[in-house]
Amino acid sequence: MEFEKIADILKALADPTRLKILSLLRIRDCCVCELVPIFNISQPAISKHVSRLKTAELVHETRKGQWVFYSINEKRLEEIGYALSHLPDLSEELRKLEQQGLTVTCE
Amino acid sequence: MEFEKIADILKALADPTRLKILSLLRIRDCCVCELVPIFNISQPAISKHVSRLKTAELVHETRKGQWVFYSINEKRLEEIGYALSHLPDLSEELRKLEQQGLTVTCE
DNA sequence: TATACAAATAACAATATGGTTATATGGTTT
DNA sequence: AAACCATATAACCATATTGTTATTTGTATA
């Protein structure tokens, strides 16, 4: 996965409210109207948070009548964990640096 | 680790430039003046990025003469990987929701 | 001591983020 | 059809983020 893509998914994760939503979805699927009374923020705020998680493919949605239930996408979380321990290799950049004689060699 | 703390570390990670810096530090320790020619941004911008990584304890710094060398803190990265797969438990919140009769039971 | 280089900090600007309230949309029920 | 409820979107505001240039601080050296 590219650096920009990894950063985008991490940005979607990097918020306490969204992390809490994911933790709740680990217990069971929830709809927005269940999440609202748990947090001290408005319904549109919750709606935007889950929307951000959906864009990052960290959750899936399923409409059931008038409700929309969100479920966690554990695969995506595993992917991001893997991406962090296997970031794209930039050794070519360091090689170019050496060719340009810009390397700092200390003592 | 608390949600706010995890979110803070994820915010430090959630930027392509900082992810690239970490990838470079996986190859070898680098100083700011080596990182500058690799990226298309100014020296103060790089300095602020490594400072952000340092605050999140994702890197360590060692002064060597006039240079400051940065090294990756792999332990911290492992910690955040672990934290993502073991987020704090919020089942108590769902229990309270049920007690208040706010649970949505569908079909 | 004066000069030079590396790195950090200050002050600022443009954009992104995370909240609000008001309103629109989608589906259910009377 | 009308009313109702859940969710999404629009418009807006305050603050955070990420870059810039100018300046300061720390260390080495002529």
Side-chain angles (χ1 to χ4, degrees), chain B residues 5-91:
Chain B
K5 185 74 187 169
I6 302 169
D8 280 347
I9 301 171
L10 289 172
K11 272 180 194 155
L13 284 171
D15 176 271
T17 302
R18 290 195 289 272
L19 287 174
K20 285 175 193 165
I21 290 172
L22 288 176
S23 178
L24 288 163
L25 296 184
R26 277 214 170 114
I27 304 169
R28 67 166 172 80
D29 297 357
C30 293
C31 53
V32 170
C33 68
E34 290 180 308
L35 297 173
V36 170
I38 295 176
F39 297 91
N40 273 339
I41 56 175
S42 65
Q43 174 269 315
I46 295 288
S47 191
K48 277 201 287 184
H49 278 303
V50 293
S51 173
R52 193 106 156 67
L53 290 171
K54 199 180 69 176
T55 302
E57 292 177 66
L58 287 159
V59 302
H60 290 127
E61 68 170 35
T62 318
R63 182 170 272 278
K64 286 190 181 173
Q66 56 190 154
W67 297 280
V68 176
F69 280 81
Y70 288 90
S71 56
I72 192 167
N73 179 4
E74 288 286 0
K75 275 197 183 169
R76 193 60 154 171
L77 272 151
E78 286 163 28
E79 271 174 29
I80 201 69
Y82 181 86
L84 282 179
S85 48
H86 300 79
L87 291 171
D89 177 51
L90 292 180
S91 45

Side-chain angles (χ1 to χ4, degrees), chain A residues 19-107:
Chain A
L19 288 174
K20 284 175 195 166
I21 290 172
L22 288 176
S23 178
L24 288 163
L25 296 185
R26 276 214 170 115
I27 304 168
R28 67 166 172 83
D29 298 357
C30 293
C31 52
V32 170
C33 69
E34 290 179 309
L35 297 173
V36 169
I38 295 177
F39 298 91
N40 272 338
I41 57 178
S42 64
Q43 174 268 315
I46 295 289
S47 190
K48 278 201 286 185
H49 278 303
V50 294
S51 173
R52 193 104 156 68
L53 291 171
K54 200 180 69 175
T55 302
E57 293 176 67
L58 287 159
V59 301
H60 291 127
E61 67 171 35
T62 318
R63 182 171 273 278
K64 286 190 182 171
Q66 57 190 155
W67 298 280
V68 176
F69 280 81
Y70 289 91
S71 56
I72 192 166
N73 180 4
E74 287 287 0
K75 276 197 182 169
R76 193 60 154 173
L77 272 151
E78 286 164 27
E79 272 175 29
I80 202 68
Y82 181 86
L84 282 179
S85 49
H86 300 80
L87 290 171
D89 177 51
L90 291 180
S91 46
E92 188 54 42
E93 298 300 321
L94 284 181
R95 205 166 299 128
K96 276 189 246 164
L97 201 74
E98 284 164 37
Q99 282 170 2
Q100 293 173 284
L102 295 173
T103 293
V104 171
T105 32
C106 207
E107 80 243 83

